[in-house]
Amino acid sequence: GNCYRLFSWTVFTEHFTPFAQPEIHRIPIEGTVLSMKSMSIHNILGFPFPTPPDQTALQQAHTILRSLAALDEKDVITPLGRSLASFPLAPRLSKMLVLGKQGQCLPYVLNVVAALSVDSPLLITTQHLKARKTDTTDEAEENAEDQAQSEEDKKLRVEIQKMHQRWRHRDSDLLTILNAVGAAVYACKSENDLAQFAKSHFVSFKVLKEIIALRQQLAIITAKTSNDLEPTALLAPVPPPSAQQHLLLRQIITAGLVDQVARRVSDSGVGPTRFEYRTMQGDVVYIHPSSSVHGSGAEWAVYGQIVKTSRPYMRVVTQIHGVWLPDLSPSQCHAAEPLMEPPPRYDEKRDKIRCYMRPFYGPQRWELPLVEFDLPEPHGARYMKHFMYLLLDGQIFPEFIKLRVRFTLFM
């Protein structure tokens, strides 16, 4: 055999680390923290790790888990957190699966989670564009060949975009991918069928194959956590989701990405990047031009990742409504004072006094739309004042209207 020296001993000893970086330093650790909490290891910050993770990363993991409602305000694991810990997945993805089961959307959520774990199969890559080789040495001919190739590539890009347009969902990249994966699952019975589908529809065969394989693994894992689920039922072809299911899927996606929210902060009025967004960490970002949501001017959005090229771009974007956030991530909401207009009311079904507030969200304290909450401090003086008013007003017991009339007559 032959042996080739790739670098000198000096380079090896001076520029290479003795050991690879530990995995606990390379990956998000909220899953590790949640698993430890489920094993009744409560003092994570003081735990004697063989290789201690960064303290900032541990604190950030606790913040994310509180946002996902896996931990309460005292960092104690919740019943939902124990359910999430039973999945060998990132907690945000596990939450999507749990909510998908509750909302009767689990077959669709499997595709969404698989796509978030892999990548989009709809990206236009150099593999899709025809490459033409030439043996000519004439510079003029070579320039002409390059110009013709460029024109051909432009036409092919338009054709690819037109093909992908049939799956486009204007509110979400993940729902666009869901439509594409659903079409592939419905049309393909074998790997050869899948390869032909990928070629004819200009999608990545490798990514699509990986998504479908991961989808099958997720179905098996999910079925093991419940006695009333079968993997074959979850993997069976299903019709495209309805408008109501699309709305529910967007809310499920938001519930898993509540710490990756961005808000539109400006509109320059011109150009492809006219809409500027700010993340919860205060960074300025833009929606990627390949996104289905690009150019929509959505006020609120969640994203799967941020890529930095000429600008920092959000990818895998889903448009959301700010009014969803208080219910999906109460820990990120900062309560404001209850409003007297509209006035508080009594909710007979829940036996609670409800009032309107204008909450703030996240560290940037974004003002959210008006939302109805349970009146806080159920044993406080303010609560008792409103309770007595609603009681005498007859909203709690209608019979008290007669008593109020009598009091008025005596006065």
Side-chain angles (χ1 to χ4, degrees), residues 59-71:
Q59 293 171 357
Q60 185 179 4
H62 280 81
T63 302
I64 292 173
L65 292 173
R66 285 194 295 270
S67 300
L68 297 172
L71 300 180

Side-chain angles (χ1 to χ4, degrees), residues 37 42-43 62 66 70-78:
K37 291 283 187 180
H42 303 296
N43 185 17
H62 280 81
R66 285 194 295 270
L71 300 180
D72 62 18
E73 63 276 2
K74 297 181 180 180
D75 288 339
V76 176
I77 191 169
T78 62

Side-chain angles (χ1 to χ4, degrees), residues 254-384:
T254 306
L257 300 175
V258 286
D259 60 314
Q260 296 179 188
V261 179
R263 186 179 189 182
R264 192 189 71 226
V265 293
S266 69
D267 178 3
S268 64
V270 294
T273 56
R274 56 181 287 189
F275 299 113
E276 184 177 281
Y277 290 79
R278 194 173 299 275
T279 66
M280 294 175 64
Q281 293 73 36
D283 301 323
V284 174
V285 293
Y286 302 86
I287 295 179
H288 197 275
S290 65
S291 171
S292 302
V293 192
H294 181 256
S296 66
E299 182 180 4
W300 298 90
V302 292
Y303 56 89
Q305 58 178 300
I306 293 178
V307 295
K308 294 183 179 180
T309 54
S310 58
R311 292 173 180 261
Y313 286 111
M314 297 183 290
R315 286 196 55 229
V316 197
V317 180
T318 296
Q319 180 179 347
I320 67 171
H321 297 294
V323 73
W324 296 346
L325 295 173
D327 289 329
L328 296 179
S329 184
S331 67
Q332 289 282 4
C333 286
H334 308 284
E337 285 296 313
L339 301 177
M340 294 299 102
E341 289 295 335
R345 68 176 183 87
Y346 175 69
D347 188 342
E348 184 178 359
K349 292 183 178 180
R350 303 176 66 249
D351 192 26
K352 298 284 186 181
I353 296 178
R354 305 280 285 173
C355 67
Y356 283 91
M357 297 184 188
R358 196 175 296 278
F360 301 91
Y361 190 79
Q364 301 296 315
R365 294 187 66 85
W366 291 322
E367 188 177 282
L368 296 175
L370 208 62
V371 180
E372 193 176 34
F373 288 91
D374 290 340
L375 188 67
E377 302 173 3
H379 302 292
R382 178 172 55 187
Y383 188 94
M384 295 305 299

